[in-house]
Amino acid sequence: RTGVTTLHIACMNGCDLHTVQFLVENKCSVNALDEEFKKNCMFFACANPATSLEVVEFLLLSKANLEAKSVFEQTPLHMALR
């Protein structure tokens, strides 16, 4: 998929807090959208049960948009409820 960032991949794979912090501190945008589904990293973090609450909290503190809508009109909260 195009537009997928390193941060997207980290969140898809349930990376630890230190990895996510490193990526954000080194200019990975928390609100970059993948081109196909228009999802930011919060979608992937919330969809993955392996993602820690600390990672989600860090992304929120880093201004990740929790109200972003995908092409399916879903938000990261929809993903968390699956």
Side-chain angles (χ1 to χ4, degrees):
R1 291 178 18 200
T2 54
V4 175
T5 68
T6 308
L7 185 56
H8 287 132
I9 294 168
C11 291
M12 281 181 214
N13 292 305
C15 275
D16 60 89
L17 178 60
H18 298 292
T19 302
V20 172
Q21 284 175 326
F22 175 82
L23 293 170
V24 172
E25 289 166 2
N26 286 281
K27 308 299 181 210
C28 279
S29 172
V30 294
N31 288 308
L33 302 175
D34 75 280
E35 292 177 16
E36 187 175 357
F37 298 111
K38 305 298 184 210
K39 293 180 178 181
N40 67 14
C41 63
M42 284 298 289
F43 282 89
F44 301 110
C46 290
N48 188 340
T51 301
S52 70
L53 180 58
E54 290 81 16
V55 167
V56 173
E57 288 174 335
F58 175 77
L59 293 172
L60 287 172
L61 290 172
S62 298
K63 308 289 188 228
N65 185 358
L66 193 58
E67 296 179 13
K69 289 192 178 177
S70 70
V71 296
F72 304 110
E73 295 294 315
Q74 294 178 326
T75 67
L77 292 176
H78 288 109
M79 305 307 292
L81 295 173
R82 290 180 146 195

Coordinates of all heavy atoms in Angstrom, one line a residue:
R1 N 0.8 -1.2 0.0 CA 0.0 0.0 0.0 C 0.9 1.2 0.0 O 1.9 1.3 0.7 CB -0.9 0.0 1.2 CG -1.9 -1.1 1.1 CD -2.9 -1.2 2.3 NE -3.0 -0.2 3.2 CZ -3.5 -0.3 4.4 NH1 -3.8 -1.5 4.9 NH2 -3.7 0.7 5.2
T2 N 0.5 2.2 -0.7 CA 1.2 3.5 -0.7 C 0.8 4.4 0.4 O -0.4 4.3 0.8 CB 1.1 4.2 -2.1 OG1 -0.3 4.3 -2.4 CG2 1.7 3.3 -3.2
G3 N 1.7 5.2 0.8 CA 1.4 6.2 1.8 C 1.5 5.6 3.2 O 1.3 6.3 4.2
V4 N 1.8 4.3 3.3 CA 2.0 3.7 4.6 C 3.4 4.1 5.2 O 4.4 4.0 4.5 CB 1.9 2.2 4.6 CG1 2.2 1.5 5.9 CG2 0.5 1.8 4.1
T5 N 3.4 4.7 6.4 CA 4.7 5.1 7.0 C 5.2 4.1 7.9 O 4.6 3.1 8.3 CB 4.4 6.4 7.8 OG1 3.6 6.1 8.9 CG2 3.8 7.5 6.9
T6 N 6.4 4.3 8.4 CA 7.1 3.5 9.4 C 6.3 3.4 10.6 O 6.1 2.4 11.3 CB 8.5 4.0 9.7 OG1 9.2 4.1 8.4 CG2 9.3 3.0 10.5
L7 N 5.7 4.6 11.0 CA 4.8 4.6 12.2 C 3.6 3.8 12.0 O 3.1 3.1 12.9 CB 4.5 6.1 12.5 CG 3.7 6.3 13.8 CD1 4.5 5.7 15.0 CD2 3.4 7.8 14.0
H8 N 3.0 3.8 10.8 CA 1.8 2.9 10.6 C 2.2 1.5 10.8 O 1.5 0.7 11.4 CB 1.3 3.1 9.1 CG 0.6 4.3 8.8 ND1 0.9 5.1 7.7 CD2 -0.4 4.9 9.4 CE1 0.1 6.1 7.6 NE2 -0.7 6.1 8.7
I9 N 3.3 1.1 10.2 CA 3.8 -0.3 10.3 C 4.1 -0.7 11.8 O 3.7 -1.8 12.2 CB 5.0 -0.5 9.4 CG1 4.6 -0.4 8.0 CG2 5.6 -1.9 9.7 CD1 5.8 -0.3 7.0
A10 N 4.7 0.2 12.5 CA 5.0 0.0 13.9 C 3.7 -0.3 14.7 O 3.6 -1.2 15.5 CB 5.8 1.1 14.5
C11 N 2.7 0.6 14.4 CA 1.4 0.4 15.1 C 0.6 -0.8 14.7 O -0.1 -1.4 15.5 CB 0.5 1.7 14.9 SG 1.2 3.1 15.7
M12 N 0.8 -1.2 13.4 CA 0.1 -2.4 12.9 C 0.7 -3.6 13.7 O 0.0 -4.6 13.9 CB 0.4 -2.6 11.4 CG -0.4 -1.8 10.5 SD 0.1 -2.3 8.8 CE -0.1 -0.7 8.0
N13 N 2.0 -3.6 14.0 CA 2.7 -4.7 14.6 C 2.8 -4.7 16.1 O 3.5 -5.5 16.7 CB 4.1 -4.9 14.0 CG 3.9 -5.3 12.5 OD1 3.3 -6.3 12.2 ND2 4.5 -4.5 11.6
G14 N 2.1 -3.7 16.7 CA 2.1 -3.6 18.2 C 3.5 -3.3 18.8 O 3.8 -3.8 19.8
C15 N 4.2 -2.4 18.2 CA 5.5 -2.0 18.7 C 5.4 -1.4 20.1 O 4.4 -0.9 20.5 CB 6.2 -1.0 17.7 SG 7.1 -1.8 16.4
D16 N 6.5 -1.5 20.7 CA 6.6 -0.9 22.1 C 6.6 0.6 22.1 O 6.9 1.2 21.1 CB 7.8 -1.5 22.8 CG 9.1 -1.1 22.1 OD1 9.7 0.0 22.5 OD2 9.6 -1.9 21.3
L17 N 6.4 1.2 23.3 CA 6.4 2.6 23.4 C 7.7 3.3 23.0 O 7.6 4.3 22.3 CB 6.1 3.0 24.9 CG 6.0 4.5 25.2 CD1 5.0 5.2 24.4 CD2 5.8 4.7 26.7
H18 N 8.8 2.7 23.3 CA 10.1 3.4 23.0 C 10.3 3.5 21.4 O 10.8 4.5 21.0 CB 11.3 2.6 23.6 CG 11.2 2.6 25.1 ND1 11.4 3.8 25.8 CD2 11.0 1.6 25.9 CE1 11.3 3.5 27.1 NE2 11.0 2.2 27.2
T19 N 9.8 2.5 20.7 CA 9.9 2.5 19.2 C 9.0 3.6 18.7 O 9.4 4.4 17.8 CB 9.6 1.2 18.6 OG1 10.5 0.2 19.2 CG2 9.7 1.2 17.1
V20 N 7.8 3.7 19.2 CA 6.9 4.7 18.7 C 7.3 6.1 19.0 O 7.3 7.0 18.2 CB 5.4 4.4 19.2 CG1 4.5 5.5 18.9 CG2 4.9 3.1 18.7
Q21 N 7.8 6.3 20.3 CA 8.4 7.6 20.7 C 9.5 8.0 19.7 O 9.6 9.1 19.3 CB 8.9 7.5 22.1 CG 7.8 7.6 23.1 CD 8.4 7.4 24.5 OE1 9.3 6.7 24.8 NE2 7.7 8.1 25.5
F22 N 10.4 7.0 19.4 CA 11.6 7.3 18.6 C 11.1 7.8 17.2 O 11.6 8.8 16.7 CB 12.5 6.1 18.4 CG 13.6 6.2 17.5 CD1 14.8 6.9 17.8 CD2 13.5 5.8 16.1 CE1 15.8 7.1 16.9 CE2 14.5 6.0 15.2 CZ 15.7 6.6 15.6
L23 N 10.1 7.1 16.6 CA 9.6 7.4 15.3 C 9.0 8.8 15.3 O 9.2 9.6 14.4 CB 8.6 6.4 14.8 CG 9.2 5.0 14.5 CD1 8.1 4.0 14.3 CD2 10.2 5.1 13.4
V24 N 8.2 9.1 16.3 CA 7.5 10.4 16.4 C 8.5 11.5 16.6 O 8.5 12.6 16.0 CB 6.4 10.4 17.5 CG1 5.8 11.8 17.7 CG2 5.3 9.5 17.1
E25 N 9.5 11.3 17.5 CA 10.5 12.3 17.8 C 11.4 12.5 16.5 O 12.0 13.6 16.4 CB 11.4 11.9 18.9 CG 10.6 12.0 20.3 CD 11.3 11.2 21.4 OE1 12.4 10.7 21.2 OE2 10.7 11.2 22.5
N26 N 11.4 11.6 15.6 CA 12.2 11.7 14.4 C 11.4 12.0 13.2 O 11.7 11.6 12.1 CB 13.1 10.5 14.2 CG 14.3 10.5 15.2 OD1 15.3 11.2 15.0 ND2 14.1 9.8 16.3
K27 N 10.3 12.7 13.4 CA 9.5 13.4 12.4 C 8.5 12.5 11.7 O 8.0 12.8 10.6 CB 10.3 14.1 11.4 CG 11.3 15.1 12.0 CD 10.6 16.2 12.8 CE 11.7 17.1 13.4 NZ 11.3 17.7 14.6
C28 N 8.2 11.3 12.2 CA 7.0 10.5 11.6 C 5.8 11.2 12.1 O 5.5 11.4 13.2 CB 7.1 9.1 12.1 SG 8.2 8.0 11.2
S29 N 4.9 11.6 11.1 CA 3.7 12.3 11.4 C 2.7 11.3 12.0 O 2.4 10.3 11.4 CB 3.1 12.9 10.2 OG 1.8 13.4 10.4
V30 N 2.1 11.7 13.1 CA 1.0 10.9 13.7 C -0.3 11.0 13.0 O -1.2 10.2 13.2 CB 0.8 11.2 15.2 CG1 2.0 10.9 16.1 CG2 0.4 12.7 15.4
N31 N -0.4 12.0 12.0 CA -1.6 12.1 11.3 C -1.5 11.9 9.8 O -2.4 12.2 9.0 CB -2.2 13.5 11.5 CG -2.8 13.6 12.9 OD1 -3.6 12.8 13.3 ND2 -2.3 14.6 13.7
A32 N -0.4 11.3 9.4 CA -0.2 10.9 8.0 C -1.2 9.8 7.7 O -1.5 8.9 8.5 CB 1.2 10.4 7.8
L33 N -1.8 9.9 6.5 CA -2.9 9.0 6.1 C -2.3 8.0 5.0 O -1.7 8.5 4.1 CB -4.1 9.7 5.6 CG -4.8 10.7 6.5 CD1 -5.9 11.4 5.8 CD2 -5.3 10.0 7.8
D34 N -2.7 6.8 5.1 CA -2.3 5.9 4.0 C -3.2 6.3 2.8 O -4.3 6.8 3.0 CB -2.4 4.4 4.4 CG -3.9 3.9 4.5 OD1 -4.5 4.2 5.5 OD2 -4.3 3.3 3.5
E35 N -2.8 6.1 1.6 CA -3.5 6.5 0.5 C -4.8 5.7 0.1 O -5.7 6.3 -0.4 CB -2.6 6.6 -0.7 CG -1.5 7.7 -0.6 CD -0.6 7.7 -1.8 OE1 -0.9 7.1 -2.8 OE2 0.5 8.3 -1.6
E36 N -4.7 4.4 0.5 CA -5.8 3.6 0.1 C -7.1 3.7 1.0 O -8.2 3.9 0.5 CB -5.4 2.1 0.1 CG -6.4 1.2 -0.4 CD -5.9 -0.3 -0.5 OE1 -4.7 -0.5 -0.3 OE2 -6.7 -1.1 -0.9
F37 N -6.9 3.7 2.3 CA -8.0 3.7 3.2 C -8.1 5.0 4.0 O -9.1 5.1 4.8 CB -7.9 2.5 4.2 CG -8.0 1.2 3.4 CD1 -6.9 0.4 3.4 CD2 -9.2 0.8 2.8 CE1 -7.0 -0.9 2.7 CE2 -9.3 -0.4 2.1 CZ -8.2 -1.2 2.0
K38 N -7.1 5.9 3.9 CA -7.1 7.2 4.6 C -7.1 7.0 6.1 O -7.9 7.6 6.9 CB -8.3 8.1 4.2 CG -8.4 8.3 2.7 CD -7.2 9.0 2.2 CE -7.3 9.3 0.7 NZ -6.1 9.3 0.0
K39 N -6.3 6.1 6.6 CA -6.1 5.8 8.0 C -4.8 6.4 8.6 O -3.8 6.3 7.9 CB -6.2 4.3 8.3 CG -7.5 3.7 8.0 CD -7.5 2.2 8.3 CE -8.8 1.6 8.0 NZ -8.8 0.1 8.3
N40 N -4.9 7.0 9.8 CA -3.7 7.4 10.4 C -3.2 6.3 11.4 O -3.8 5.3 11.5 CB -3.9 8.8 11.2 CG -4.8 8.7 12.3 OD1 -5.2 7.6 12.8 ND2 -5.2 9.9 12.8
C41 N -2.1 6.5 12.1 CA -1.5 5.5 12.9 C -2.5 5.1 14.1 O -2.4 3.9 14.5 CB -0.2 5.9 13.5 SG -0.3 7.4 14.6
M42 N -3.4 5.9 14.5 CA -4.3 5.6 15.6 C -5.2 4.4 15.2 O -5.6 3.6 16.0 CB -5.2 6.8 16.0 CG -4.4 7.8 16.8 SD -3.9 7.1 18.4 CE -5.4 6.9 19.3
F43 N -5.6 4.4 13.9 CA -6.5 3.3 13.4 C -5.7 1.9 13.7 O -6.3 1.0 14.1 CB -6.7 3.4 11.9 CG -7.8 4.4 11.6 CD1 -7.5 5.7 11.4 CD2 -9.1 4.0 11.4 CE1 -8.5 6.7 11.0 CE2 -10.1 4.9 11.1 CZ -9.8 6.3 10.9
F44 N -4.5 1.9 13.3 CA -3.7 0.7 13.4 C -3.4 0.3 14.9 O -3.5 -0.8 15.2 CB -2.4 0.8 12.6 CG -2.7 1.0 11.1 CD1 -2.4 2.3 10.6 CD2 -3.3 0.1 10.3 CE1 -2.7 2.5 9.2 CE2 -3.6 0.3 9.0 CZ -3.3 1.6 8.4
A45 N -3.1 1.3 15.6 CA -2.8 1.1 17.1 C -4.1 0.6 17.8 O -4.0 -0.4 18.6 CB -2.3 2.4 17.7
C46 N -5.2 1.2 17.5 CA -6.5 0.8 18.1 C -7.0 -0.5 17.7 O -7.7 -1.2 18.4 CB -7.5 1.9 17.9 SG -7.2 3.4 18.8
A47 N -6.6 -0.9 16.5 CA -7.1 -2.2 15.9 C -6.3 -3.4 16.4 O -6.7 -4.5 16.3 CB -7.1 -2.2 14.4
N48 N -5.1 -3.1 16.9 CA -4.2 -4.2 17.3 C -4.3 -4.5 18.8 O -3.9 -3.6 19.6 CB -2.8 -3.9 16.9 CG -1.8 -5.0 17.1 OD1 -2.1 -5.9 17.9 ND2 -0.7 -4.9 16.4
P49 N -4.8 -5.6 19.2 CA -4.8 -5.9 20.7 C -3.5 -5.9 21.4 O -3.4 -5.8 22.6 CB -5.5 -7.3 20.8 CG -5.8 -7.7 19.4 CD -5.3 -6.7 18.4
A50 N -2.4 -6.1 20.6 CA -1.1 -6.1 21.2 C -0.5 -4.7 21.5 O 0.5 -4.6 22.2 CB -0.1 -6.8 20.2
T51 N -1.2 -3.7 21.0 CA -0.8 -2.3 21.3 C -1.1 -2.0 22.7 O -2.2 -2.1 23.2 CB -1.4 -1.3 20.3 OG1 -1.2 -1.7 19.0 CG2 -1.0 0.1 20.6
S52 N -0.1 -1.4 23.4 CA -0.3 -1.1 24.8 C -1.0 0.3 25.0 O -1.0 1.1 24.1 CB 1.1 -0.9 25.5 OG 1.8 0.2 25.1
L53 N -1.7 0.4 26.1 CA -2.4 1.6 26.4 C -1.4 2.8 26.4 O -1.8 3.9 26.0 CB -3.1 1.5 27.7 CG -3.9 2.7 28.2 CD1 -4.9 3.1 27.2 CD2 -4.5 2.4 29.6
E54 N -0.2 2.6 26.8 CA 0.9 3.7 26.8 C 1.1 4.2 25.4 O 1.3 5.4 25.2 CB 2.1 3.2 27.5 CG 2.0 2.9 29.0 CD 1.4 1.6 29.3 OE1 1.3 0.7 28.5 OE2 1.0 1.4 30.5
V55 N 1.1 3.3 24.4 CA 1.4 3.7 23.0 C 0.2 4.6 22.6 O 0.4 5.7 22.0 CB 1.5 2.5 22.1 CG1 1.4 3.0 20.6 CG2 2.9 1.9 22.4
V56 N -1.0 4.2 22.9 CA -2.2 5.0 22.5 C -2.2 6.3 23.2 O -2.4 7.4 22.6 CB -3.5 4.2 22.8 CG1 -4.7 5.1 22.5 CG2 -3.6 2.9 21.9
E57 N -1.9 6.3 24.5 CA -1.8 7.6 25.2 C -0.7 8.5 24.6 O -0.9 9.7 24.5 CB -1.5 7.3 26.7 CG -2.6 6.7 27.5 CD -2.3 6.4 28.9 OE1 -1.1 6.1 29.2 OE2 -3.2 6.3 29.7
F58 N 0.4 8.0 24.3 CA 1.5 8.8 23.7 C 1.1 9.4 22.4 O 1.3 10.5 22.1 CB 2.8 7.9 23.5 CG 3.9 8.7 22.8 CD1 4.6 9.6 23.5 CD2 4.1 8.5 21.5 CE1 5.6 10.3 22.8 CE2 5.1 9.2 20.8 CZ 5.8 10.1 21.5
L59 N 0.4 8.6 21.5 CA -0.1 9.1 20.3 C -1.1 10.2 20.5 O -1.1 11.2 19.7 CB -0.7 8.0 19.4 CG 0.3 6.9 18.9 CD1 -0.5 5.7 18.3 CD2 1.3 7.5 18.0
L60 N -2.0 10.1 21.4 CA -2.9 11.1 21.7 C -2.2 12.4 22.2 O -2.6 13.5 21.8 CB -3.9 10.7 22.8 CG -5.0 9.7 22.3 CD1 -5.8 9.1 23.5 CD2 -5.9 10.3 21.2
L61 N -1.2 12.2 23.1 CA -0.5 13.4 23.6 C 0.3 14.0 22.4 O 0.7 15.2 22.5 CB 0.4 13.0 24.7 CG -0.3 12.6 26.0 CD1 0.7 12.0 27.0 CD2 -1.0 13.8 26.6
S62 N 0.6 13.2 21.4 CA 1.4 13.8 20.2 C 0.4 14.3 19.2 O 0.8 14.6 18.1 CB 2.2 12.6 19.6 OG 3.1 12.2 20.6
K63 N -0.8 14.5 19.6 CA -1.9 15.1 18.7 C -2.4 14.3 17.6 O -2.8 14.8 16.5 CB -1.4 16.5 18.2 CG -0.8 17.4 19.2 CD -1.9 18.0 20.1 CE -1.4 19.1 21.0 NZ -1.8 19.0 22.3
A64 N -2.3 12.9 17.7 CA -2.9 12.1 16.7 C -4.4 12.3 16.7 O -5.1 12.5 17.8 CB -2.6 10.6 17.0
N65 N -5.0 12.4 15.6 CA -6.4 12.7 15.4 C -7.3 11.5 15.7 O -7.3 10.6 14.8 CB -6.7 13.3 14.0 CG -8.1 13.8 13.8 OD1 -8.9 13.7 14.7 ND2 -8.4 14.2 12.6
L66 N -8.0 11.5 16.8 CA -8.8 10.4 17.2 C -10.1 10.4 16.4 O -10.9 9.5 16.4 CB -9.0 10.4 18.7 CG -9.6 9.2 19.3 CD1 -8.8 7.9 19.0 CD2 -9.8 9.4 20.8
E67 N -10.4 11.6 15.8 CA -11.7 11.7 15.1 C -11.5 11.6 13.6 O -12.5 11.8 12.8 CB -12.3 13.1 15.4 CG -12.7 13.2 16.9 CD -13.3 14.5 17.3 OE1 -13.7 15.3 16.4 OE2 -13.4 14.8 18.5
A68 N -10.4 11.2 13.1 CA -10.1 11.0 11.7 C -11.1 10.0 11.2 O -11.4 9.0 11.9 CB -8.7 10.6 11.4
K69 N -11.6 10.1 9.9 CA -12.5 9.1 9.3 C -11.8 8.5 8.1 O -11.2 9.2 7.3 CB -13.8 9.8 8.9 CG -14.6 10.2 10.1 CD -16.0 10.5 9.7 CE -16.8 10.8 11.0 NZ -18.2 11.3 10.7
S70 N -11.9 7.2 8.1 CA -11.4 6.4 6.9 C -12.4 6.5 5.7 O -13.4 7.1 5.9 CB -11.2 5.0 7.3 OG -12.5 4.3 7.4
V71 N -12.0 5.9 4.6 CA -12.9 5.9 3.5 C -14.2 5.2 3.8 O -15.2 5.3 3.1 CB -12.2 5.3 2.2 CG1 -11.1 6.1 1.7 CG2 -11.8 3.9 2.4
F72 N -14.2 4.4 4.9 CA -15.4 3.7 5.3 C -16.2 4.4 6.3 O -17.1 3.9 7.0 CB -15.0 2.3 5.9 CG -14.2 1.5 4.9 CD1 -12.9 1.2 5.1 CD2 -14.8 0.9 3.8 CE1 -12.1 0.5 4.2 CE2 -14.0 0.2 2.9 CZ -12.7 -0.1 3.1
E73 N -15.8 5.7 6.6 CA -16.4 6.6 7.6 C -16.3 6.0 9.0 O -17.1 6.3 9.9 CB -17.9 6.8 7.2 CG -18.2 7.6 6.0 CD -17.7 9.0 6.0 OE1 -17.9 9.7 7.0 OE2 -17.0 9.4 5.1
Q74 N -15.2 5.3 9.2 CA -14.9 4.8 10.6 C -13.8 5.7 11.2 O -13.0 6.3 10.5 CB -14.4 3.3 10.5 CG -15.5 2.4 10.1 CD -15.0 1.0 10.0 OE1 -13.8 0.7 9.6 NE2 -15.8 0.0 10.2
T75 N -13.8 5.7 12.5 CA -12.8 6.4 13.3 C -11.9 5.3 14.0 O -12.3 4.2 14.1 CB -13.4 7.3 14.3 OG1 -14.1 6.5 15.3 CG2 -14.4 8.3 13.7
P76 N -10.8 5.8 14.6 CA -10.0 4.8 15.4 C -10.8 4.2 16.5 O -10.6 3.0 16.8 CB -8.9 5.7 15.9 CG -8.7 6.7 14.9 CD -10.1 7.0 14.4
L77 N -11.8 4.9 17.1 CA -12.6 4.3 18.1 C -13.4 3.1 17.6 O -13.6 2.1 18.3 CB -13.5 5.3 18.8 CG -12.8 6.4 19.6 CD1 -13.8 7.4 20.1 CD2 -12.1 5.8 20.7
H78 N -13.9 3.1 16.4 CA -14.5 2.0 15.8 C -13.6 0.8 15.7 O -14.0 -0.3 16.0 CB -15.0 2.3 14.3 CG -16.2 3.2 14.2 ND1 -16.0 4.5 13.8 CD2 -17.5 3.1 14.5 CE1 -17.2 5.1 13.8 NE2 -18.1 4.2 14.3
M79 N -12.4 1.0 15.4 CA -11.4 -0.1 15.4 C -11.1 -0.6 16.7 O -11.0 -1.9 16.9 CB -10.1 0.4 14.8 CG -10.2 1.1 13.4 SD -11.0 0.1 12.2 CE -9.9 -1.2 11.9
A80 N -11.1 0.2 17.7 CA -10.9 -0.3 19.1 C -12.1 -1.2 19.6 O -11.8 -2.1 20.4 CB -10.7 0.9 20.1
L81 N -13.2 -0.9 19.1 CA -14.4 -1.7 19.6 C -14.6 -3.0 18.9 O -15.5 -3.8 19.3 CB -15.7 -0.8 19.4 CG -15.7 0.4 20.2 CD1 -16.9 1.3 19.9 CD2 -15.8 0.1 21.7
R82 N -13.8 -3.3 17.9 CA -13.9 -4.6 17.2 C -13.5 -5.7 18.0 O -12.7 -5.8 18.8 CB -13.0 -4.6 15.9 CG -13.6 -3.6 14.9 CD -12.8 -3.6 13.7 NE -13.6 -3.5 12.5 CZ -13.3 -3.7 11.3 NH1 -12.1 -4.2 11.1 NH2 -14.1 -3.5 10.3

